[in-house]
Amino acid sequence: YGWAMGHGALQALGGIGLFLLGMHVMTDGLKQLAGGSLKAALRRWTRSPTSGAAVGAVSTAVIQSSSATTVTAIGFVGAGLITFAEALGIIFGANIGTTITGWLVALFGFKVPLGTVALALAFAGAMITTFTRGWLAGAGTAIAGFALVFIGIDFLQAGLGSLQDTISPDSFPANTMWGRVQLVGIGIVVTLVTQSSSAGVAMAITAVNAGTISFPQAAAVVIGMDVGTTSTAAFATIGGSTQVRRTGLAHVIYNLLTAVFAYFLLIPYVGMVERLGSATTDDPELLLVGFHTLFNGLGVLAVLPFARQFAALVERIVPVPDDDLAHRLEPRLLNDPELALSVAEQTLKEIAAAGAALFLDQVDHPRQSHSGEYSALLDALASTRTYLARVDSRSQGDNAIAHHTALMHAADHIERLIDRLDRANMIAVVATDETLTDATRVVRGLVGRFATWLGGGAELAPDDVEVVARGLDAHRRLYRNRQISEAITNQTSAEQVDERLDAMRWLVRVAAHVWRVNIYLSPPWTAPVAHSPLAQRLETGD
């Protein structure tokens, strides 16, 4: 008897292990098969929290990974592609998408038992993965993972079935107010151990089908499993980027509120089931999955009208640090090089925009010093360059490599631009010397348009910047000749001429770096720019 009990327990544990492995393999295959398309769909169709929820639910249902959907949403926010409120819609929708796993288990695991067919599917999937490439290999991996999931369910079902004489509903807390609280706690612990609410729900479905736990008890456990999923989000808030901490907090608050709602929904739901009688109790696993989907769906419907207010509250609780321009650089995005590059690009734009704003302020108020702020910009830039160095764009194709290369060049020129701007002595000359008024006005206008463009305003085409740069180059040469003539005729001292020519060269070099940064941050990422004779002449001041 003891051996049989131990064997049953091992079968159940092995089933859980196979289920978790199968989910991991299936998710990898589905992401390889459809990840790029779904990412594009998330970006294209997310126009509001409501549309985000719909796309988030579909995306998670297709790739069977709410964490992948969430990380993508975080990346979109970091890249400035969507707002945080829209990202919350995606994350809320992902909660509905995760319930699809339960339906797959309930329908294919019990209503359409796969049995030995799963073994054949596992073999077929492995062969496809081994002997093909590209999307076919992804499809093979997904098929093999799908098969492993249901092989695991078979083991779990057999293990729990052999424990029917040992474990029964009486082994768990009763369906009372306090008993349901205890059952919720059990669900939380199960999810903390398995780190997968899908595995927990599969266990609950199998247990209720085997009769080792009653439907009301299993429903309370599933509520706890939804709460337990917040542990991953909570841990991610420790040391994570601002967007990760915001997302984690929002996830915790939302799931806790949904769990409270589900707890009180359980009583009328069970009452309805009991009134309907055998028409429903013959399929307790479907009732359980239906309850899981119902309270998640109602929770999303309840929060969506207030998504923007909810997002604003979370943003107030977790504000962006004023001095942290590198807050977007989330390490988890490195698993998706294209998203990581987009986030790094947005960070570089913010750094360059902040430097441009300091320049404009200095020209208007030349006696103010901003050396400390320029140093903070250089620190953020160093973090961004380190982040870019960790991105592996080689597997993403030529366009990603070109984008990566352009961003590295942009970072280099932003650093040199900031170094140019942090010259208080030059600022003092160009802001006060009347002979430099025209050139200063042109450069100030260029930097102003540059800052507006970086902030998402009117387009600043590289060709437009080049026109300004050419005009400055011609003006600089005329200005130099005029100043030298005045020095020869003693109209101006040699020291003042040197000061003015240095200031003019400084203005031209600022324009040159603005030009280069503008090119490297503008698609397409194939710009051969910076080696043109004009660019080199402008930068060197020759």
Side-chain angles (χ1 to χ4, degrees):
Y1 173 79
W3 180 89
M5 181 178 175
H7 179 69
L10 284 175
Q11 268 192 309
L13 290 174
I16 295 169
L18 284 171
F19 180 91
L20 288 169
L21 178 61
M23 286 296 297
H24 178 73
V25 172
M26 182 170 68
T27 296
D28 281 351
L30 290 171
K31 283 196 290 187
Q32 186 179 345
L33 186 62
S37 300
L38 286 173
K39 188 166 64 177
L42 276 173
R43 173 67 191 97
R44 180 177 180 183
W45 297 109
T46 300
R47 293 289 181 268
S48 67
T50 302
S51 63
V55 180
V58 172
S59 175
T60 303
V62 170
I63 63 174
Q64 287 295 293
S65 174
S66 60
S67 61
T69 303
T70 300
V71 168
T72 300
I74 291 170
F76 285 166
V77 175
L81 300 175
I82 62 175
T83 66
F84 181 60
E86 291 165 347
L88 284 187
I90 294 174
I91 293 160
F92 296 153
N95 272 32
I96 298 176
T98 57
T99 66
I100 298 299
T101 306
W103 287 105
L104 288 173
V105 171
L107 292 172
F108 289 94
F110 303 103
K111 297 302 172 187
V112 188
L114 293 179
T116 54
V117 175
L119 295 173
L121 285 174
F123 176 77
M127 291 299 99
I128 293 171
T129 303
T130 302
F131 295 108
T132 63
R133 294 289 181 270
W135 69 270
L136 273 176
T141 302
I143 291 169
F146 180 81
L148 281 175
V149 164
F150 290 100
I151 293 170
I153 291 295
D154 274 353
F155 273 91
L156 182 59
Q157 199 172 4
L160 291 178
S162 67
L163 296 175
Q164 277 182 310
D165 296 334
T166 307
I167 301 176
S168 68
D170 293 336
S171 307
F172 296 92
N175 182 32
T176 62
M177 183 72 75
W178 172 239
R180 285 192 292 274
V181 171
Q182 292 177 287
L183 289 163
V184 169
I186 290 172
I188 293 172
V189 171
V190 169
T191 309
L192 287 174
V193 171
T194 62
Q195 285 295 293
S196 169
S197 62
S198 295
V201 171
M203 290 168 60
I205 292 170
T206 308
V208 79
N209 178 267
T212 55
I213 190 171
S214 70
F215 162 70
Q217 290 171 320
V221 171
V222 166
I223 294 172
M225 290 169 179
D226 255 40
V227 176
T229 60
T230 63
S231 63
T232 303
F235 291 143
T237 63
I238 302 172
S241 68
T242 299
Q243 298 305 336
V244 167
R245 286 186 285 121
R246 284 177 173 175
T247 302
L249 177 62
H251 199 250
V252 170
I253 294 173
Y254 168 75
N255 275 39
L256 287 176
L257 291 175
T258 303
V260 171
F261 167 72
Y263 182 84
F264 290 104
L265 177 67
L266 178 58
I267 297 172
Y269 188 85
V270 171
M272 178 194 71
V273 169
E274 291 174 346
R275 281 193 297 274
L276 291 174
S278 61
T280 57
T281 52
D282 289 343
D283 297 311
E285 64 278 355
L286 293 181
L287 290 175
L288 183 59
V289 177
F291 177 67
H292 188 214
T293 303
L294 178 66
F295 76 73
N296 272 288
L298 291 177
V300 171
L301 290 176
V303 77
L304 278 178
F306 310 100
R308 298 192 189 282
Q309 292 87 338
F310 187 29
L313 172 64
V314 173
E315 286 172 334
R316 281 198 296 273
I317 296 173
V318 186
V320 175
D322 293 334
D323 59 347
D324 187 10
L325 286 170
H327 69 273
R328 301 173 183 271
L329 305 177
E330 168 54 38
R332 287 198 296 174
L333 295 178
L334 293 170
N335 293 324
D336 188 333
E338 290 183 343
L339 264 182
L341 291 175
S342 295
V343 168
E345 179 189 338
Q346 185 61 27
T347 301
L348 289 175
K349 286 183 174 180
E350 286 196 2
I351 294 170
L358 289 179
F359 168 80
L360 296 173
D361 188 56
Q362 277 187 294
V363 171
D364 294 337
H365 309 93
R367 291 196 176 124
Q368 292 183 4
S369 174
H370 294 284
S371 291
E373 292 164 275
Y374 282 123
S375 295
L377 294 183
L378 290 174
D379 290 342
L381 187 61
S383 298
T384 309
R385 295 174 86 161
T386 300
Y387 187 79
L388 281 169
R390 296 176 62 192
V391 176
D392 184 5
S393 59
R394 291 169 298 177
S395 61
Q396 304 300 304
D398 292 342
N399 191 59
I401 294 172
H403 189 189
H404 195 176
T405 304
L407 293 181
M408 294 294 282
H409 279 295
D412 177 55
H413 284 288
I414 290 171
E415 180 179 15
R416 293 157 75 180
L417 175 62
I418 291 172
D419 183 60
R420 296 281 183 209
L421 296 179
D422 189 18
R423 304 283 177 87
N425 59 326
M426 293 298 176
I427 292 284
V429 176
V430 301
T432 57
D433 195 311
E434 293 183 359
T435 66
L436 292 165
T437 299
D438 289 342
T440 302
R441 186 183 67 252
V442 169
V443 174
R444 192 193 185 289
L446 174 64
V447 174
R449 290 177 61 197
F450 181 62
T452 300
W453 169 70
L454 291 169
E459 180 184 3
L460 180 63
D463 288 348
D464 295 338
V465 186
E466 183 179 358
V467 168
V468 174
R470 288 186 180 278
L472 273 173
D473 185 45
H475 179 73
R476 174 182 61 82
R477 283 178 285 175
L478 291 172
Y479 182 81
R480 181 175 59 185
N481 292 338
R482 187 167 61 249
Q483 288 299 310
I484 291 173
S485 296
E486 289 183 5
I488 292 172
T489 57
N490 294 322
Q491 297 178 54
T492 307
S493 68
E495 292 78 9
Q496 190 172 27
V497 168
D498 286 342
E499 185 180 76
R500 287 174 174 176
L501 292 181
D502 282 344
M504 175 57 79
R505 275 192 293 269
W506 179 80
L507 284 170
V508 171
R509 288 170 181 172
V510 167
H513 287 301
V514 166
W515 181 23
R516 293 193 184 195
V517 172
N518 174 241
I519 287 175
Y520 284 123
L521 292 181
S522 300
W525 315 112
T526 54
V529 249
H531 304 296
S532 72
L534 173 63
Q536 293 179 359
R537 188 167 68 248
L538 288 173
E539 187 178 343
T540 60
D542 292 337

